[in-house]
Amino acid sequence: MKRVVCPGSFDPITFGHLDIVERASKMFDEVVIAVLVNQTKSSLFTVAERIEMIQEVTVQFPNVKVDSWSGLLVDYCVEKEIPIIVKGLRAVTDFDYELQMSQINFQLKGIETLFMSTAPAHSFLSSSLVKEIASYQGDVSSYIPASLVSRLQERLAHVASTRLN
Ligand code: PNS
C-alpha cells in the first residue's frame, strides 16, 4: 500500500491545497493530510478546528485521511510508516525553501519529497492571502470551499472585535 503525507498549516485549507490532495489521491492508495505547526506563522484556527474543516471538505475522497502532529514532520513519517511527503509548488519563489526542507527531511530520516506543480489557476493562492482579503471583507469564495467562507469571516470578525476591546 503506497501512502503519502500532505503536510501543512492549512489555516485554512484552500482550493490550491485541495487540488494537490485530490490529484495525489488518484496516484496513491492513501493520502494523509497532516496539520502541523509552522513556527514562523501564528494561526487563526486551532488544530482541532482545522482538522474538522479539512474532514468536512475532503469527505468525498475515501482514501484521504486527516491527522495532526506537533513535532518534526519526519518523525511523524517514521512513526506512521509513511515514506513520502507530497507538496505543491506554486512558483519559483516556493522552490528554494521547499528544496531545503526536502533535503533536510531526506538527510534526517530518509523521507522522500515529491513535488507537484500547482494548477496555474491556484498559483498565486495562499492561506495568508485569503485571510488578508477576508479581513477587509473581500470575496474569498473562489479560493476556499463555500462552507469555510462564513467560518473564516466569523473568526476574523471575532478577532477584530477582541482587538478593539
Ligand atoms: O503550510 P505551511 O505553513 O507552508 O507548512 C509548513 C510545514 C508545517 C509543513 C512545515 O513548517 C513543517 O514541516 N513543520 C513541522 C516541523 C518540521 O518538520 N520542520 C522542517 C524541518 S526543520
Side-chain angles (χ1 to χ4, degrees):
M1 172 142 150
K2 277 262 172 283
R3 297 168 77 214
V4 297
V5 61
C6 286
S9 354
F10 306 108
D11 188 49
I13 192 162
T14 69
F15 284 136
H17 296 126
L18 286 167
D19 169 59
I20 297 295
V21 167
E22 180 174 0
R23 285 158 57 201
S25 76
K26 291 176 184 154
M27 292 188 282
F28 300 100
D29 298 313
E30 187 174 284
V31 175
V32 180
I33 303 178
V35 179
L36 277 105
V37 175
N38 184 337
Q39 287 182 333
T40 66
K41 297 177 183 170
S42 59
S43 53
L44 187 63
F45 293 100
T46 66
V47 170
E49 288 169 332
R50 284 178 263 165
I51 290 177
E52 189 185 287
M53 291 189 282
I54 298 168
Q55 277 167 340
E56 193 181 301
V57 298
T58 57
V59 77
Q60 68 275 33
F61 308 124
N63 62 336
V64 172
K65 310 270 177 278
V66 191
D67 202 357
S68 66
W69 184 255
S70 56
L72 283 177
L73 174 57
V74 288
D75 288 337
Y76 177 81
C77 293
V78 169
E79 174 143 330
K80 304 290 175 178
E81 297 180 2
I82 302 178
I84 303 170
I85 298 165
V86 168
K87 287 208 146 186
L89 276 185
R90 288 167 296 193
V92 71
T93 41
D94 281 342
F95 187 72
D96 281 351
Y97 178 65
E98 293 297 345
L99 179 68
Q100 195 182 10
M101 290 254 280
S102 69
Q103 288 168 328
I104 204 149
N105 285 336
F106 187 77
Q107 210 262 329
L108 281 168
K109 296 279 162 91
I111 304 296
E112 295 281 5
T113 301
L114 297 184
F115 293 114
M116 292 175 62
S117 353
T118 297
H122 306 305
S123 62
F124 56 86
L125 192 50
S126 72
S127 301
S128 309
L129 277 183
V130 169
K131 285 183 279 190
E132 184 162 350
I133 295 164
S135 72
Y136 293 107
Q137 289 78 48
D139 179 10
V140 292
S141 57
S142 308
Y143 311 136
I144 60 174
S147 61
L148 306 189
V149 173
S150 52
R151 223 172 148 151
L152 175 61
Q153 286 164 340
E154 279 161 27
R155 176 56 51 89
L156 287 166
H158 176 73
V159 169
S161 72
T162 50
R163 230 184 252 136
L164 288 175
N165 294 332

